[in-house]
Amino acid sequence: SQELEQSPQSLIVQEGKNLTINCTSSKTLYGLYWYKQKYGEGLIFLMMLQKGGEEKSHEKITAKLDEKKQQSSLHITASQPSHAGIYLCGAERSNYQLIWGAGTKLIIKP
Amino acid sequence: NAGVTQTPKFRILKIGQSMTLQCTQDMNHNYMYWYRQDPGMGLKLIYYSVGAGITDKGEVPNGYNVSRSTTEDFPLRLELAAPSQTSVYFCASTSSVNTDTQYFGPGTRLTVL
């Protein structure tokens, strides 16, 4: 099993609906990153969370860090076609290396 | 700033051939990374560098080599290409001052036949 587990693996959501993606670590989380990837492109930084209970928002995307559960959730409100893509979480380890979850593929149905 | 640039975007290699994937960043970042991304597996770190002249192995270094002669460039070398190296390769960089964000290149899609 991976050190960072993302769920679900894929998600199909009707446009306008809300959704949540989870990222759970088997080790203590010190820094948790969320990135978005569109097919055939690189990764775009969304947010970074460092402290337990921390919550950050960017436009309609909100990410939270639950230190006790060693888990982060990414919530999208009123989804739009532009939200489609693969969402990856990364956790900071030594020397600013990141280990990564396998990704969650999000499809938005019009 | 161009950010992180990678060349080529696509490449097909025959087994046993060699090639170099180029990566350049113009943000004066000290830290640079090479990842490979396989379907359903997320990103795996191949090699990383914390500054010019310093490189170190990541999770999956076998079959690859890197060098870091300048701050800007971090090429990845495949000496004897194998089908298992078919993947999408991403280069990334981050500042040692502000490590909040890793900036990624657009990727190189490599197929080894």
Side-chain angles (χ1 to χ4, degrees), chain B residues 76-97:
Chain B
L76 178 72
R77 179 90 179 154
L78 282 73
E79 290 293 349
L80 290 169
S84 60
Q85 292 178 305
T86 294
S87 188
V88 181
Y89 292 84
F90 289 102
C91 178
S93 73
T94 190
S95 165
S96 57
V97 174

Side-chain angles (χ1 to χ4, degrees), chain B residues 49-103:
Chain B
S49 168
V50 299
I54 306 169
T55 62
D56 211 343
K57 296 177 181 179
E59 298 174 77
V60 290
N62 291 344
Y64 307 94
N65 273 304
V66 293
S67 60
R68 184 94 183 272
S69 56
T70 66
T71 299
E72 294 78 21
D73 300 307
F74 190 39
L76 178 72
R77 179 90 179 154
L78 282 73
E79 290 293 349
L80 290 169
S84 60
Q85 292 178 305
T86 294
S87 188
V88 181
Y89 292 84
F90 289 102
C91 178
S93 73
T94 190
S95 165
S96 57
V97 174
N98 177 10
T99 57
D100 279 6
T101 307
Q102 281 195 11
Y103 295 86

Side-chain angles (χ1 to χ4, degrees), chain A residues 33 35 37 95-97 100, chain B residues 33 37 45 48 99-100 102:
Chain A
Y33 297 73
Y35 281 78
Q37 182 181 25
N95 278 336
Y96 308 110
Q97 295 178 55
W100 298 86
Chain B
Y33 311 84
Q37 184 181 35
L45 182 66
Y48 68 99
T99 57
D100 279 6
Q102 281 195 11

